[in-house]
């Protein structure tokens, strides 16, 4: 990254391209049931870098929740650290009896190639894909469907 200073103009930062990473959270299937008495009420905490957003709660949908929600995150390329390009999806179950919500599982999606491609072409996307849900004991239980896109700010 370098700076260009033009007479009479502010410095312009060159090298990094900023844009929007769009996450379309679709559904999950085959989740491990964490609430045996009633159907689970799940939601997803989505984190990209230091940004965090939370989906709505899929009330009473149990192990097959559907969200169909879209979230937008600021992103840039190149950005240095490899772990910066990790999109973390943490599935949680609201629990009426316990004070704390219960961890159901998580998925991590590496989005560096998507952002790099979008930086080169202006926009790039990945159709809906299924990602494995990992439990606390590192086994798999179910999958979460997500579509992704990245577009450069004009």
């Amino acid at each position: 990254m370098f700076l260009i200073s033009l007479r009479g103009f502010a410095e312009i930062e060159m090298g990094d391209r900023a844009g929007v990473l769009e996450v379309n959270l679709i559904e999950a299937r085959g989740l491990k049931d964490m609430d045996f008495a009633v159907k689970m009420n799940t939601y997803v905490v989505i984190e990209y870098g230091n940004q965090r957003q939370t989906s709505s709660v899929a009330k009473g949908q149990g192990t097959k929740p559907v969200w169909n929600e879209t979230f937008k995150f600021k992103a840039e390329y190149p950005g240095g650290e490899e772990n910066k390009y990790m999109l973390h999806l943490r599935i949680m179950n609201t629990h009426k009896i316990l004070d704390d919500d219960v961890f159901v599982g998580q998925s991590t999606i590496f989005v560096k190639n998507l952002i790099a491609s979008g930086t080169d072409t202006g926009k790039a996307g990945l159709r809906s894909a299924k990602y494995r849900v990992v439990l606390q004991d590192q086994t798999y239980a179910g999958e979460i469907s997500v579509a992704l896109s990245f577009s450069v700010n004009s």
Side-chain angles (χ1 to χ4, degrees):
M1 177 172 48
F2 57 93
L3 297 173
I4 297 177
S5 181
L6 303 173
R7 190 181 310 229
F9 293 93
E11 290 183 336
I12 301 171
E13 193 171 293
M14 301 298 288
D16 287 353
R17 299 277 312 263
V20 176
L21 174 64
E22 192 169 290
V23 179
N24 184 359
L25 176 64
I26 301 168
E27 65 183 6
R29 294 284 179 250
L31 299 176
K32 184 174 181 181
D33 196 346
M34 300 295 186
D35 201 344
F36 304 104
V38 295
K39 287 196 173 199
M40 292 192 304
N41 299 310
T42 55
Y43 64 95
V44 180
V45 177
I46 306 167
E47 295 177 322
Y48 180 71
N50 62 358
Q51 302 167 75
R52 171 189 265 187
Q53 296 187 46
T54 303
S55 75
S56 62
V57 176
K59 294 182 181 177
Q61 295 185 27
T63 61
K64 299 177 183 177
V66 176
W67 295 281
N68 284 326
E69 293 181 60
T70 300
F71 303 89
K72 294 181 180 182
F73 296 90
K74 294 177 187 174
E76 60 184 35
Y77 182 83
E81 305 169 23
E82 288 298 311
N83 62 357
K84 178 181 181 175
Y85 298 105
M86 301 296 223
L87 179 69
H88 299 283
L89 307 162
R90 194 169 60 250
I91 305 168
M92 303 295 290
N93 177 34
T94 60
H95 203 284
K96 293 181 181 178
I97 297 171
L98 301 175
D99 285 338
D100 279 340
D101 292 349
V102 177
F103 175 81
V104 175
Q106 66 184 4
S107 286
T108 300
I109 304 169
F110 190 66
V111 295
K112 183 177 182 179
N113 292 339
L114 172 70
I115 294 172
S117 178
T119 300
D120 289 343
T121 62
K123 184 170 184 155
L126 296 172
R127 293 181 183 187
S128 175
K130 296 175 183 174
Y131 300 91
R132 288 182 168 182
V133 173
V134 181
L135 304 177
Q136 282 183 318
D137 65 3
Q138 301 304 305
T139 61
Y140 298 113
E143 56 197 22
I144 189 165
S145 296
V146 177
L148 301 167
S149 67
F150 175 79
S151 55
V152 175
N153 292 337
S154 303

